[in-house]
Amino acid sequence: MLTTSRADYGLLSCLMKRLGSDRRFELLSVVCGSHLSAAHGHTTRELEADGLRIAARVRTGARADSPLEAARALGRGLAGFAGAFARLKPELLVVLGDRYELLAAASAAVMLRIPIAHIHGGESTEGVIDEQVRHAVTKLSHVHLPAAEPYRRRVLALGEDPRFVRCFGAPGLESIRLLEPVPRAELERRVGLPVDRRTVVFTWHPDDSGAAGLEEALGALDAAGLRVVVTAAGADVGGAVINARAARWCAARSERASFVASLGNHAYLSLARLCGAVVGNSSSGIIEAPSLRVPTVNIGTRQKGRLRSPSVIDCPPKRAAIAAALRLAASPAFRRDRCRGANAYGDGRFSERSARFLASIPLGQRLLETKSVARLDRRNP
C-alpha cells in the first residue's frame, strides 16, 4: 500500500492497520513524497508510531517549488517505484486520491504487471491538475473504491468493470468514528493558543486565485478577530510560497495565530472538532469536517465539483464574502440546523467492508485481464 503524505495516511491509516492485522493479507507499506521531507515534519514517524513497518521509501520530492521540478520528480519516482516493486513483488498495489506521485507509482505497476486498487476515484475537482491525475489513475487501475454513489457511476462511465467497483464511503471518516480525542489542554499546548469556538483551523492549498486569494482569506480572518491555527499546505507546486507567507502572518499575530507544519491526523481531527469552523480550500473541510459536526467555510474553486454536506458554506475568495461566511458559520442556528445531518461520504465503516472485498477478488492474470475487456460503450448498472 502506498502513502504519499500526512494527508493520505490520515485517510488510509484505519485500512492499513486492519490489513496489517488480517492473516489474509501481507501488508507492505511504501512511503514517498512529503513523508520523507524535513520541511513537512518527517511524517513517516506516524506510521511507525502506529506499529506499521515501512517496506520501502521512494524519494519523489521536487527539489524546487516549480512545475518543471515536479515533472522531474515524476521521472525519479518512476525509477524508484520500479525498483521497490520489483524487489517487493506485491500482488496488488493500493493507492488513494490524486497526488501527482501516483502517476509514477501506477505507471511502474502497469509495466511490472501489478494490479492496482484505487480509492477515491471518480471525483471531480474542476480546473486543477488533480482532476487529470485522478482520472488517469482510474484508467490504470483494476479495482475501484469510490467514496460516494455519483463517483461510482463516473468510474463506470469511464468503462471500468462493474464487478470490481464498490462504494464503501470515504476512508477518512473511520478515524472520526473511532476517534479518542486528544485532551484540550494538550492541543492548546501544541498549538500555543486557547482552543474553543472562537478558534478556527485554516488550511490553504495552491489554487487558481493565486496569492490574491490567500491574502483575501487572511484579511477576512484578521477582521473577524478570530484565533487561527494555520496548518501547512501540502507539497504541491506553490505550497512553499503559501507556507512562508502564512508563517509570517502568524508570527506577526502570535497572540492569536499559530502556524503548524503537521499536527498529525489524530490531533488535527481532535482540534477541528472543538473549533468554530474549518476554513480554507482543503478537501478535509468537504469530506471529513461534516462528520465532526463542525461548519466549513470553503473558499474558491479548488473543491468545485465535489459533493457537499449541508454544513459546508461556499464563498468566493473575496474578503467581504469570506467575512459573511465566517459570521454564518459562527451562528448557533447554523450549527443546530446544518451540522447535524448525515455526511454525504458515508458512515465511517470503510476498512472492514473494503478488506472483505479485497480478500474476495481474484489476483494475477485474471484481474489484469479486466482492463482488456473494459469498454466505454459498456451498459452501466
Side-chain angles (χ1 to χ4, degrees):
M1 185 173 290
L2 174 67
T3 171
T4 69
S5 67
R6 71 176 194 222
D8 70 18
Y9 179 64
L11 308 181
L12 287 168
S13 59
C14 288
L15 179 60
M16 293 178 74
K17 292 173 193 174
R18 181 174 289 274
L19 297 183
S21 63
D22 190 323
R23 292 181 180 178
R24 295 173 296 179
F25 302 94
E26 179 188 0
L27 177 67
L28 301 172
S29 302
V30 178
V31 300
C32 69
S34 62
H35 272 311
L36 304 175
S37 164
H40 292 88
H42 277 308
T43 49
T44 51
R45 295 169 186 157
E46 292 184 34
L47 281 79
E48 293 165 338
D50 287 339
L52 296 174
R53 184 180 67 84
I54 297 172
R57 292 171 166 83
V58 178
R59 297 199 173 273
T60 59
R63 294 170 182 169
D65 192 19
S66 73
L68 174 60
E69 280 304 310
R72 287 172 171 163
L74 277 179
R76 293 191 293 272
L78 179 57
F81 287 121
F85 297 159
R87 174 172 61 84
L88 296 173
K89 296 179 172 57
E91 294 180 282
L92 182 71
L93 171 65
V94 181
V95 300
L96 179 146
D98 46 37
R99 287 285 312 169
Y100 69 83
E101 294 95 338
L102 300 191
L103 287 176
S107 297
V110 167
M111 298 307 295
L112 293 171
R113 304 291 287 162
I114 299 167
I116 303 166
H118 184 209
I119 303 168
H120 267 297
E123 298 178 19
S124 178
T125 45
E126 300 174 19
V128 292
I129 193 173
D130 302 359
E131 180 93 347
Q132 295 166 275
V133 172
R134 188 184 307 110
H135 296 328
V137 173
T138 290
K139 291 309 301 175
L140 294 172
S141 298
H142 307 77
V143 178
H144 306 274
L145 299 169
E149 177 59 23
Y151 304 148
R152 185 188 76 89
R153 292 196 298 267
R154 186 173 288 131
V155 169
L156 293 173
L158 288 168
E160 296 306 297
D161 191 324
R163 295 174 298 167
F164 302 109
V165 183
R166 292 288 187 277
C167 177
F168 302 128
L173 304 190
E174 190 157 5
S175 293
I176 296 171
R177 184 175 65 83
L178 301 175
L179 184 66
E180 295 182 9
V182 176
R184 188 188 301 262
E186 172 62 14
L187 292 171
E188 292 179 338
R189 183 193 68 78
R190 290 183 62 175
V191 303
L193 296 172
V195 174
D196 57 29
R197 290 190 180 178
R198 291 292 299 167
T199 308
V200 299
V201 181
F202 177 72
T203 308
W204 192 265
H205 298 296
D207 73 353
D208 59 7
S209 69
L214 174 61
E215 294 302 327
E216 292 290 299
L218 294 176
L221 291 168
D222 241 348
L226 297 165
R227 291 185 291 269
V228 184
V229 178
V230 180
T231 63
D236 297 305
V237 174
V241 174
I242 289 170
N243 290 340
R245 172 64 182 116
R248 292 195 304 272
W249 186 85
C250 290
R253 298 158 180 79
S254 58
E255 75 287 351
R256 60 183 180 86
S258 173
F259 180 84
V260 183
S262 177
L263 279 168
N265 189 57
H266 186 200
Y268 174 83
L269 295 175
S270 300
L271 175 68
R273 66 186 284 273
L274 296 174
C275 286
V278 172
V279 183
N281 63 5
S282 170
S283 62
S284 65
I286 304 296
I287 299 173
E288 284 83 42
S291 289
L292 294 166
R293 308 295 176 90
V294 175
T296 295
V297 174
N298 179 62
I299 304 168
T301 61
R302 184 178 172 96
Q303 303 304 327
K304 184 179 179 182
R306 278 204 163 110
L307 289 177
R308 300 290 197 268
S309 294
S311 57
V312 177
I313 305 166
D314 289 299
C315 63
K318 299 296 181 183
R319 196 166 308 194
I322 299 166
L326 289 169
R327 289 193 296 272
L328 179 58
S331 160
F334 184 89
R335 273 190 175 257
R336 183 187 65 241
D337 298 337
R338 303 284 291 277
C339 297
R340 299 296 177 187
N343 191 322
Y345 289 88
D347 61 3
R349 297 183 180 276
F350 176 85
S351 70
E352 178 183 356
R353 296 164 180 163
S354 297
R356 188 184 307 121
F357 176 57
L358 292 175
S360 74
I361 62 176
L363 296 176
Q365 189 62 28
R366 287 179 63 194
L367 188 55
L368 290 168
E369 287 173 354
T370 64
K371 299 307 289 186
S372 66
V373 299
R375 297 288 184 267
L376 289 176
D377 61 357
R378 184 195 305 278
R379 289 178 61 87
N380 295 328

